[in-house]
Amino acid sequence: MVLIKPNCWSEHGELEAVLVCPPSIADVPTLKVAEDVQWSAPVQYEKAMENFLELQGVFLDAGINVLDYSNELSQEEQSLSEKLLNRFFVRDLACVFGNTILPGHPSIFMRQPEYVQAHRVFKSWFDTSFIPQEKVGIQALENGDVLVLNKDAVFINAGLRTSFESIEIIKHYIFHAGFSEVAVISLPRRGDTLHLDMNCNVANEDLVIAKEFMRHFPVRVMTEKGDRYEMAPAFLKRHGFEVYWLEEYNSVPDINYFNLDPETILLSKQAHKQMLKKHPKLARKKYIEVEVTELEKAGGGIRCMTLPLRRK
């Protein structure tokens, strides 16, 4: 058992512990192969590993406890794990709601082995804090679709990879963890809107960055007493968030950033940093740029590659 008690009540609190996993040892050699595995371009393992080590190094230099679940696998499990192309996208595997870790469940068969392996490790590490899949019983829920806004509200997308039925199941666990509202949005089911964190992200305790089109979407706000509907901007405003609407963006590097602490954003070297800094609440932030271009070819960014376990 790992001596870490999960604790996450936001997306911006000071990070104390994070889960990562290195990329597969396999190259994706051609554009044809990349397209068939739903990546944007060929990927070389050596470059991908260099990217991963740079990202991991930022956390280590900041004194953050970095966990890699693949180190806990048996030799037989390792033999499989190191060939799983998407295993470094650990965000999807689970989410910490307060002091409770709820599992994700992949919507595509290709990713099922890594969920099974990781969850087995989580069960041994976190004991009763982790609620296993066999108890929860969800069918499709990838946690790139989940934002823990604050101690009251969780924002979830029922889209291409996460089903509304699964959200209906986990909402009871989220309420039990201490949250009062779960708001569900349903974004277009396309590759460029794959997960919620490719469309919006928390950038400050009172600021969300989001693609312009999201202002036109309603959300279903679920509480223990019942449900109601309101527009997404109204929901976010009610919970204290201004929205910085983006009309132009590169989804992965510009929106899939990661909050290291309330003053520091970790982002891709491909991100349009000056665009973010145009907002007055972001102008004085510290930005740490990381070279993750090779990893981003797999379709996700830094947030996708990190699973926060503890934040202050």
Side-chain angles (χ1 to χ4, degrees):
M1 186 188 304
V2 171
L3 297 178
I4 290 178
K5 293 183 178 180
N7 186 70
C8 284
W9 297 91
S10 76
E11 300 286 343
H12 61 272
E14 182 179 345
L15 186 68
E16 295 181 314
V18 67
L19 182 85
V20 297
C21 184
S24 164
I25 63 172
D27 289 337
V28 176
T30 66
L31 180 58
K32 177 66 168 62
V33 173
E35 290 173 344
D36 287 341
V37 299
Q38 299 183 45
W39 289 14
S40 65
V43 169
Q44 296 180 23
Y45 163 70
E46 290 81 6
K47 290 183 179 180
M49 192 63 185
E50 287 175 6
N51 284 186
F52 172 77
L53 292 174
E54 182 173 337
L55 176 63
Q56 180 178 248
V58 173
F59 296 126
L60 293 173
D61 290 345
I64 293 162
N65 194 342
V66 179
L67 284 74
D68 175 356
Y69 79 86
S70 68
N71 289 333
E72 304 297 317
L73 300 177
S74 68
Q75 186 174 354
E76 181 180 359
E77 290 172 325
Q78 282 276 13
S79 180
L80 171 62
S81 177
E82 65 186 10
K83 299 177 181 68
L84 299 174
L85 292 179
N86 296 296
R87 71 173 187 162
F88 62 96
F89 288 143
V90 294
R91 174 71 62 159
D92 298 324
L93 301 176
C95 184
V96 180
F97 297 95
N99 305 125
T100 300
I101 305 179
L102 292 179
H105 191 276
S107 65
I108 58 172
F109 184 85
M110 185 179 184
R111 296 202 63 188
Q112 287 186 8
E114 66 207 70
Y115 281 70
V116 172
Q117 291 182 340
H119 291 172
R120 189 179 298 123
V121 174
F122 295 169
K123 193 172 182 179
S124 67
W125 276 353
F126 304 113
D127 195 26
T128 57
S129 296
F130 176 67
I131 302 177
Q133 159 63 10
E134 54 265 29
K135 181 175 181 180
V136 179
I138 54 177
Q139 294 302 313
L141 195 150
E142 298 182 359
N143 285 283
D145 275 321
V146 179
L147 290 176
V148 178
L149 295 177
N150 53 37
K151 289 189 175 183
D152 293 320
V154 174
F155 197 17
I156 307 180
N157 174 45
L160 189 63
R161 295 292 182 87
T162 295
S163 71
F164 186 79
E165 291 75 16
S166 292
I167 300 172
E168 284 275 22
I169 292 171
I170 69 163
K171 71 177 183 182
H172 303 290
Y173 293 96
I174 295 173
F175 295 148
H176 188 262
F179 298 85
S180 58
E181 291 187 2
V182 175
V184 182
I185 194 168
S186 185
L187 299 178
R189 288 164 167 79
R190 304 191 308 257
D192 63 326
T193 53
L194 182 70
H195 287 142
L196 182 60
D197 64 9
M198 293 176 65
N199 300 274
C200 73
N201 202 351
V202 175
N204 202 49
E205 63 179 358
D206 56 359
L207 183 68
V208 165
I209 294 178
K211 294 179 181 178
E212 172 72 21
F213 78 89
M214 285 185 61
R215 70 164 68 242
H216 302 292
F217 278 65
V219 297
R220 179 175 176 178
V221 180
M222 303 187 292
T223 70
E224 291 186 279
K225 295 181 179 179
D227 301 355
R228 68 179 185 279
Y229 288 90
E230 59 186 307
M231 298 304 291
F235 163 74
L236 291 167
K237 182 178 181 180
R238 187 164 55 79
H239 284 284
F241 289 94
E242 177 188 351
V243 183
Y244 179 20
W245 300 106
L246 301 182
E247 296 181 3
E248 297 182 3
Y249 42 76
N250 187 343
S251 293
V252 172
D254 289 343
I255 298 175
N256 204 260
Y257 52 79
F258 183 84
N259 294 286
L260 200 62
D261 57 50
E263 306 301 326
T264 310
I265 290 179
L266 190 60
L267 78 172
S268 166
K269 285 189 175 178
Q270 302 302 312
H272 295 88
K273 184 175 64 175
Q274 295 307 315
M275 175 184 68
L276 300 181
K277 295 179 74 172
K278 285 181 180 179
H279 195 283
K281 290 180 179 178
L282 300 178
R284 295 186 179 181
K285 287 271 191 179
K286 179 182 179 182
Y287 294 89
I288 300 177
E289 297 178 86
V290 185
E291 179 57 75
V292 287
T293 305
E294 198 73 6
L295 293 172
E296 287 175 328
K297 295 176 182 178
I302 292 175
R303 188 180 190 273
C304 297
M305 304 170 198
T306 49
L307 171 53
L309 298 172
R310 281 192 63 86
R311 288 187 184 273
K312 286 186 180 179

